[in-house]
Amino acid sequence: MSLQEFDALIDRMQLAFDYAENLGQYVDAAKILYQMNEQLPDDLQISLEELDEPEMAKSFVMRYNSNIKSAIVDYRQRLMNF
């Protein structure tokens, strides 16, 4: 995947994530985080726990959002060097 393709995909996912989070739809936001994580190469993927209870979605999003964003930045750096 090229940097431009990755950026376009992640930008769309980020918009969807922000929208869901702003509306308080944390289960949907968590699903988007899972999808964002799956777009990363195996060595940069974050080990995410299963979200078994919807009531825990907000804390899940708060816990993993910055980790996913950091991994995305690392992957973008990698793509820029190719």
Side-chain angles (χ1 to χ4, degrees), residues 45-79:
Q45 286 188 5
I46 307 299
S47 179
L48 300 175
E49 63 187 44
E50 288 292 319
L51 182 59
D52 296 325
E53 300 176 34
E55 307 84 47
M56 303 299 292
K58 184 175 181 178
S59 64
F60 177 90
V61 167
M62 298 300 180
R63 184 176 329 128
Y64 292 112
N65 186 24
S66 63
N67 293 344
I68 298 287
K69 286 184 179 182
S70 178
I72 288 169
V73 168
D74 290 345
Y75 187 49
R76 285 191 81 254
Q77 292 287 337
R78 199 182 284 180
L79 288 172

Short mmCIF file of all heavy atoms in Angstrom, two decimals, residues 45-79:
data_model
loop_
_atom_site.label_atom_id
_atom_site.label_comp_id
_atom_site.label_asym_id
_atom_site.label_seq_id
_atom_site.Cartn_x
_atom_site.Cartn_y
_atom_site.Cartn_z
N GLN A 45 1.02 -3.64 14.96
CA GLN A 45 -0.33 -3.78 15.50
C GLN A 45 -0.29 -3.83 17.02
O GLN A 45 0.61 -4.41 17.62
CB GLN A 45 -1.01 -5.03 14.96
CG GLN A 45 -1.45 -4.88 13.53
CD GLN A 45 -2.29 -6.05 13.05
OE1 GLN A 45 -2.63 -6.95 13.81
NE2 GLN A 45 -2.62 -6.03 11.78
N ILE A 46 -1.26 -3.18 17.61
CA ILE A 46 -1.40 -3.15 19.06
C ILE A 46 -2.23 -4.38 19.48
O ILE A 46 -3.21 -4.72 18.83
CB ILE A 46 -2.15 -1.87 19.51
CG1 ILE A 46 -1.49 -0.60 18.94
CG2 ILE A 46 -2.28 -1.80 21.02
CD1 ILE A 46 -0.07 -0.39 19.35
N SER A 47 -1.81 -5.02 20.53
CA SER A 47 -2.55 -6.16 21.04
C SER A 47 -3.77 -5.62 21.80
O SER A 47 -3.66 -5.12 22.91
CB SER A 47 -1.66 -6.98 21.97
OG SER A 47 -2.38 -8.06 22.49
N LEU A 48 -4.92 -5.70 21.14
CA LEU A 48 -6.15 -5.18 21.72
C LEU A 48 -6.92 -6.30 22.41
O LEU A 48 -7.04 -7.38 21.87
CB LEU A 48 -7.03 -4.56 20.63
CG LEU A 48 -6.44 -3.40 19.84
CD1 LEU A 48 -7.40 -2.99 18.73
CD2 LEU A 48 -6.15 -2.23 20.74
N GLU A 49 -7.48 -5.98 23.56
CA GLU A 49 -8.32 -6.95 24.24
C GLU A 49 -9.69 -6.96 23.59
O GLU A 49 -10.07 -6.03 22.88
CB GLU A 49 -8.43 -6.60 25.72
CG GLU A 49 -9.11 -5.27 25.97
CD GLU A 49 -9.06 -4.86 27.42
OE1 GLU A 49 -8.01 -4.98 28.06
OE2 GLU A 49 -10.10 -4.38 27.90
N GLU A 50 -10.42 -8.02 23.81
CA GLU A 50 -11.78 -8.11 23.29
C GLU A 50 -12.69 -7.19 24.08
O GLU A 50 -12.55 -7.05 25.29
CB GLU A 50 -12.28 -9.55 23.43
CG GLU A 50 -11.66 -10.52 22.47
CD GLU A 50 -12.05 -10.27 21.02
OE1 GLU A 50 -13.22 -9.96 20.76
OE2 GLU A 50 -11.16 -10.37 20.17
N LEU A 51 -13.59 -6.57 23.38
CA LEU A 51 -14.56 -5.70 24.03
C LEU A 51 -15.82 -6.53 24.25
O LEU A 51 -16.68 -6.65 23.38
CB LEU A 51 -14.86 -4.48 23.15
CG LEU A 51 -15.83 -3.47 23.71
CD1 LEU A 51 -15.33 -2.91 25.04
CD2 LEU A 51 -16.04 -2.35 22.71
N ASP A 52 -15.90 -7.14 25.42
CA ASP A 52 -17.01 -8.05 25.72
C ASP A 52 -18.26 -7.32 26.19
O ASP A 52 -19.36 -7.77 25.94
CB ASP A 52 -16.59 -9.06 26.79
CG ASP A 52 -15.47 -9.97 26.31
OD1 ASP A 52 -15.47 -10.31 25.11
OD2 ASP A 52 -14.61 -10.33 27.12
N GLU A 53 -18.08 -6.21 26.88
CA GLU A 53 -19.21 -5.50 27.44
C GLU A 53 -19.30 -4.10 26.84
O GLU A 53 -18.35 -3.33 26.94
CB GLU A 53 -19.07 -5.39 28.95
CG GLU A 53 -19.01 -6.74 29.65
CD GLU A 53 -18.78 -6.60 31.14
OE1 GLU A 53 -19.27 -5.62 31.73
OE2 GLU A 53 -18.10 -7.47 31.70
N PRO A 54 -20.41 -3.76 26.21
CA PRO A 54 -20.56 -2.44 25.60
C PRO A 54 -20.35 -1.28 26.59
O PRO A 54 -19.90 -0.21 26.19
CB PRO A 54 -22.00 -2.45 25.07
CG PRO A 54 -22.33 -3.88 24.89
CD PRO A 54 -21.56 -4.61 25.95
N GLU A 55 -20.63 -1.53 27.86
CA GLU A 55 -20.44 -0.48 28.87
C GLU A 55 -18.97 -0.10 29.03
O GLU A 55 -18.65 0.97 29.52
CB GLU A 55 -20.98 -0.93 30.24
CG GLU A 55 -22.40 -1.41 30.26
CD GLU A 55 -22.53 -2.88 29.86
OE1 GLU A 55 -21.78 -3.73 30.36
OE2 GLU A 55 -23.39 -3.17 29.02
N MET A 56 -18.09 -0.98 28.61
CA MET A 56 -16.65 -0.74 28.74
C MET A 56 -16.06 -0.06 27.51
O MET A 56 -14.87 0.22 27.46
CB MET A 56 -15.92 -2.07 28.99
CG MET A 56 -16.40 -2.83 30.21
SD MET A 56 -16.18 -1.92 31.74
CE MET A 56 -14.42 -1.90 31.86
N ALA A 57 -16.90 0.24 26.52
CA ALA A 57 -16.41 0.77 25.25
C ALA A 57 -15.70 2.11 25.42
O ALA A 57 -14.67 2.36 24.80
CB ALA A 57 -17.55 0.89 24.25
N LYS A 58 -16.23 2.99 26.26
CA LYS A 58 -15.62 4.30 26.44
C LYS A 58 -14.21 4.17 27.00
O LYS A 58 -13.28 4.79 26.50
CB LYS A 58 -16.47 5.19 27.34
CG LYS A 58 -15.92 6.59 27.46
CD LYS A 58 -16.84 7.49 28.26
CE LYS A 58 -16.27 8.89 28.33
NZ LYS A 58 -17.17 9.79 29.07
N SER A 59 -14.03 3.37 28.02
CA SER A 59 -12.70 3.19 28.59
C SER A 59 -11.77 2.50 27.61
O SER A 59 -10.57 2.80 27.55
CB SER A 59 -12.75 2.44 29.92
OG SER A 59 -13.23 1.13 29.74
N PHE A 60 -12.30 1.59 26.80
CA PHE A 60 -11.51 0.92 25.76
C PHE A 60 -10.98 1.95 24.77
O PHE A 60 -9.80 1.96 24.43
CB PHE A 60 -12.39 -0.12 25.05
CG PHE A 60 -11.71 -0.82 23.91
CD1 PHE A 60 -11.01 -1.99 24.13
CD2 PHE A 60 -11.75 -0.31 22.62
CE1 PHE A 60 -10.39 -2.66 23.08
CE2 PHE A 60 -11.13 -0.95 21.57
CZ PHE A 60 -10.44 -2.13 21.80
N VAL A 61 -11.87 2.81 24.29
CA VAL A 61 -11.48 3.85 23.33
C VAL A 61 -10.42 4.76 23.95
O VAL A 61 -9.41 5.08 23.30
CB VAL A 61 -12.72 4.64 22.87
CG1 VAL A 61 -12.33 5.91 22.12
CG2 VAL A 61 -13.61 3.76 22.00
N MET A 62 -10.64 5.18 25.17
CA MET A 62 -9.68 6.08 25.84
C MET A 62 -8.32 5.40 26.02
O MET A 62 -7.28 6.04 25.89
CB MET A 62 -10.21 6.52 27.20
CG MET A 62 -11.48 7.30 27.13
SD MET A 62 -11.25 8.79 26.16
CE MET A 62 -12.85 9.49 26.24
N ARG A 63 -8.33 4.11 26.30
CA ARG A 63 -7.10 3.39 26.56
C ARG A 63 -6.27 3.17 25.29
O ARG A 63 -5.05 3.28 25.31
CB ARG A 63 -7.41 2.03 27.20
CG ARG A 63 -6.18 1.25 27.60
CD ARG A 63 -6.48 -0.06 28.32
NE ARG A 63 -7.69 -0.02 29.08
CZ ARG A 63 -8.68 -0.92 28.98
NH1 ARG A 63 -8.58 -1.91 28.13
NH2 ARG A 63 -9.76 -0.83 29.71
N TYR A 64 -6.92 2.88 24.18
CA TYR A 64 -6.18 2.46 22.98
C TYR A 64 -6.06 3.51 21.88
O TYR A 64 -5.24 3.35 20.98
CB TYR A 64 -6.82 1.20 22.39
CG TYR A 64 -6.63 0.00 23.28
CD1 TYR A 64 -7.70 -0.58 23.92
CD2 TYR A 64 -5.37 -0.54 23.47
CE1 TYR A 64 -7.52 -1.69 24.74
CE2 TYR A 64 -5.18 -1.64 24.30
CZ TYR A 64 -6.26 -2.20 24.92
OH TYR A 64 -6.08 -3.29 25.74
N ASN A 65 -6.82 4.58 21.94
CA ASN A 65 -6.80 5.57 20.88
C ASN A 65 -5.39 6.14 20.63
O ASN A 65 -4.92 6.17 19.49
CB ASN A 65 -7.78 6.70 21.19
CG ASN A 65 -7.92 7.69 20.06
OD1 ASN A 65 -7.66 7.39 18.90
ND2 ASN A 65 -8.33 8.89 20.40
N SER A 66 -4.73 6.58 21.66
CA SER A 66 -3.40 7.19 21.46
C SER A 66 -2.37 6.15 21.01
O SER A 66 -1.47 6.47 20.22
CB SER A 66 -2.93 7.90 22.72
OG SER A 66 -2.78 6.99 23.78
N ASN A 67 -2.49 4.90 21.45
CA ASN A 67 -1.56 3.86 21.02
C ASN A 67 -1.70 3.58 19.53
O ASN A 67 -0.71 3.41 18.82
CB ASN A 67 -1.79 2.57 21.80
CG ASN A 67 -1.44 2.69 23.26
OD1 ASN A 67 -0.76 3.62 23.66
ND2 ASN A 67 -1.91 1.76 24.06
N ILE A 68 -2.95 3.52 19.05
CA ILE A 68 -3.20 3.28 17.63
C ILE A 68 -2.66 4.45 16.81
O ILE A 68 -2.00 4.26 15.79
CB ILE A 68 -4.70 3.06 17.35
CG1 ILE A 68 -5.22 1.84 18.08
CG2 ILE A 68 -4.98 3.00 15.85
CD1 ILE A 68 -4.79 0.52 17.52
N LYS A 69 -2.94 5.67 17.26
CA LYS A 69 -2.47 6.85 16.53
C LYS A 69 -0.94 6.89 16.46
O LYS A 69 -0.37 7.24 15.43
CB LYS A 69 -3.00 8.13 17.17
CG LYS A 69 -4.47 8.34 16.88
CD LYS A 69 -4.96 9.65 17.45
CE LYS A 69 -6.43 9.82 17.12
NZ LYS A 69 -6.94 11.10 17.61
N SER A 70 -0.29 6.50 17.51
CA SER A 70 1.17 6.45 17.53
C SER A 70 1.69 5.41 16.54
O SER A 70 2.65 5.66 15.80
CB SER A 70 1.67 6.13 18.94
OG SER A 70 3.06 6.04 18.97
N ALA A 71 1.05 4.25 16.50
CA ALA A 71 1.46 3.20 15.56
C ALA A 71 1.23 3.64 14.12
O ALA A 71 2.02 3.34 13.23
CB ALA A 71 0.71 1.91 15.85
N ILE A 72 0.16 4.40 13.88
CA ILE A 72 -0.11 4.93 12.55
C ILE A 72 0.99 5.89 12.13
O ILE A 72 1.47 5.83 10.99
CB ILE A 72 -1.51 5.60 12.50
CG1 ILE A 72 -2.59 4.52 12.57
CG2 ILE A 72 -1.67 6.47 11.26
CD1 ILE A 72 -3.99 5.06 12.79
N VAL A 73 1.41 6.74 13.03
CA VAL A 73 2.50 7.68 12.73
C VAL A 73 3.78 6.91 12.40
O VAL A 73 4.48 7.24 11.43
CB VAL A 73 2.73 8.65 13.91
CG1 VAL A 73 4.02 9.44 13.75
CG2 VAL A 73 1.54 9.59 14.05
N ASP A 74 4.07 5.87 13.16
CA ASP A 74 5.26 5.05 12.90
C ASP A 74 5.19 4.41 11.51
O ASP A 74 6.18 4.39 10.78
CB ASP A 74 5.41 3.96 13.95
CG ASP A 74 5.79 4.49 15.32
OD1 ASP A 74 6.22 5.67 15.41
OD2 ASP A 74 5.67 3.75 16.30
N TYR A 75 4.03 3.91 11.14
CA TYR A 75 3.88 3.27 9.84
C TYR A 75 3.98 4.30 8.71
O TYR A 75 4.59 4.03 7.67
CB TYR A 75 2.56 2.51 9.76
CG TYR A 75 2.42 1.69 8.50
CD1 TYR A 75 3.44 0.84 8.07
CD2 TYR A 75 1.28 1.76 7.73
CE1 TYR A 75 3.31 0.09 6.91
CE2 TYR A 75 1.14 1.00 6.58
CZ TYR A 75 2.16 0.17 6.17
OH TYR A 75 2.04 -0.57 5.03
N ARG A 76 3.42 5.48 8.91
CA ARG A 76 3.55 6.54 7.91
C ARG A 76 5.02 6.89 7.68
O ARG A 76 5.46 7.09 6.56
CB ARG A 76 2.79 7.79 8.34
CG ARG A 76 1.30 7.68 8.20
CD ARG A 76 0.60 9.01 8.40
NE ARG A 76 0.69 9.74 7.12
CZ ARG A 76 1.48 10.79 6.90
NH1 ARG A 76 2.25 11.26 7.85
NH2 ARG A 76 1.49 11.39 5.73
N GLN A 77 5.78 6.96 8.77
CA GLN A 77 7.22 7.25 8.66
C GLN A 77 7.90 6.17 7.84
O GLN A 77 8.74 6.45 6.99
CB GLN A 77 7.87 7.32 10.04
CG GLN A 77 7.44 8.49 10.87
CD GLN A 77 8.04 9.78 10.36
OE1 GLN A 77 9.04 9.81 9.69
NE2 GLN A 77 7.37 10.89 10.68
N ARG A 78 7.53 4.93 8.08
CA ARG A 78 8.09 3.80 7.35
C ARG A 78 7.76 3.91 5.86
O ARG A 78 8.62 3.71 5.00
CB ARG A 78 7.53 2.52 7.93
CG ARG A 78 8.33 1.29 7.59
CD ARG A 78 7.69 0.05 8.17
NE ARG A 78 7.90 -0.09 9.60
CZ ARG A 78 7.42 -1.10 10.32
NH1 ARG A 78 6.73 -2.06 9.74
NH2 ARG A 78 7.66 -1.15 11.60
N LEU A 79 6.50 4.24 5.55
CA LEU A 79 6.08 4.37 4.15
C LEU A 79 6.78 5.53 3.46
O LEU A 79 7.09 5.47 2.28
CB LEU A 79 4.56 4.55 4.06
CG LEU A 79 3.71 3.32 4.36
CD1 LEU A 79 2.23 3.69 4.41
CD2 LEU A 79 3.96 2.22 3.34
#
